[in-house]
Amino acid sequence: GAGVSQSPSNKVTEKGKDVELRCDPISGHTALYWYRQSLGQGLEFLIYFQGNSAPDKSGLPSDRFSAERTGGSVSTLTIQRTQQEDSAVYLCASSPRQGRSYEQYFGPGTRLTVT
Amino acid sequence: AQSVTQLGSHVSVSEGALVLLRCNYSSSVPPYLFWYVQYPNQGLQLLLKYTTGATLVKGINGFEAEFKKSETSFHLTKPSAHMSDAAEYFCAVSDPANTGFQKLVFGTGTRLLVSP
């Protein structure tokens, strides 16, 4: 079956511009996670969605970052007024149900470069 | 707070040799443990996981790992390396006490290089 998909695969933007990154989780998966992979910080958690519940935003690095998930499916991560330190690979993962022990399935990522 | 330490940012082996990638964790309670593999320009793929039960877990592609509570370790091994194993490997933990979601805390990764 289809895995997690993300678009675009690559995005180059100028400092100060806003960007939107999209994630399509595996059909039927209720949990969705965003992570960021950067040279300086490694892999770090950003935000978590579970069904229609309020998201856990504890990993977002600043208020320039926001995310939404429409209809419990597709998610969009938005970065406003991008900075060079936002350059990273943004990974999305989905999980078949909430809670313990269920592995996360990752998409291929979006590589963001801020010039 | 949980943390993960992966010793060695790069590990080089010859094809056919034993692969050993080290992972140690710090956690107030035994965590759930995971190994992921990342091939160039791809996302993360789960190799294996430990949650409860048998401490020796087997995963895909011939890899296995053993949870040793006394050593707070979860080292990844494979008896015989193949060229296709060349990739970056990440150890990760999550907190079993977290109800609702399983935030993964990752190590810094180990790049495995396999020479003919």
Side-chain angles (χ1 to χ4, degrees), chain A residues 5-90:
Chain A
S5 61
Q6 294 185 244
S7 60
S9 56
N10 282 282
K11 176 72 176 178
V12 180
T13 190
E14 293 179 351
K15 177 182 174 181
K17 301 285 189 182
D18 298 352
V19 295
E20 287 188 350
L21 313 179
R22 176 187 168 102
C23 171
D24 279 279
I26 293 172
S27 178
H29 281 194
T30 58
L32 187 148
Y33 301 77
W34 283 97
Y35 293 87
R36 180 170 70 173
Q37 185 175 22
S38 59
L39 285 177
Q41 302 298 324
L43 271 157
E44 53 184 346
F45 163 79
L46 296 177
I47 189 169
Y48 160 79
F49 294 90
Q50 173 57 255
N52 293 319
S53 303
D56 185 301
K57 307 179 182 180
S58 59
L60 293 179
S62 79
D63 59 9
R64 295 186 295 104
F65 288 72
S66 63
E68 62 178 18
R69 189 178 183 193
T70 53
S73 181
V74 170
S75 177
T76 302
L77 178 69
T78 300
I79 308 174
Q80 295 179 310
R81 305 181 302 281
T82 52
Q83 304 294 312
Q84 288 188 330
E85 61 262 29
D86 299 334
S87 295
V89 176
Y90 290 82

Side-chain angles (χ1 to χ4, degrees), chain A residues 33 35 37 42-45 48 50 56 58 89 91 98-109 111, chain B residues 32 34 36 38 41-46 49 51 88 90 96-107:
Chain A
Y33 301 77
Y35 293 87
Q37 185 175 22
L43 271 157
E44 53 184 346
F45 163 79
Y48 160 79
Q50 173 57 255
D56 185 301
S58 59
V89 176
L91 293 166
Q98 74 179 55
R100 306 171 182 186
S101 82
Y102 293 101
E103 59 260 32
Q104 297 173 28
Y105 298 82
F106 282 80
R111 182 175 298 276
Chain B
Y32 292 153
F34 307 83
Y36 282 86
Q38 187 177 36
N41 300 315
Q42 294 187 26
L44 299 170
Q45 181 182 11
L46 181 67
K49 70 177 189 283
T51 55
E88 188 144 22
F90 293 91
N98 277 345
T99 56
F101 83 106
Q102 288 288 292
K103 179 183 77 172
L104 290 171
V105 175
F106 288 90

Side-chain angles (χ1 to χ4, degrees), chain B residues 3-4 23-27 29-31 33 67-69 72-73 93:
Chain B
S3 66
V4 178
C23 173
N24 288 86
Y25 67 88
S26 173
S27 178
V29 296
L33 294 149
F67 168 55
K68 293 187 176 181
K69 182 179 177 181
T72 61
S73 68
V93 300

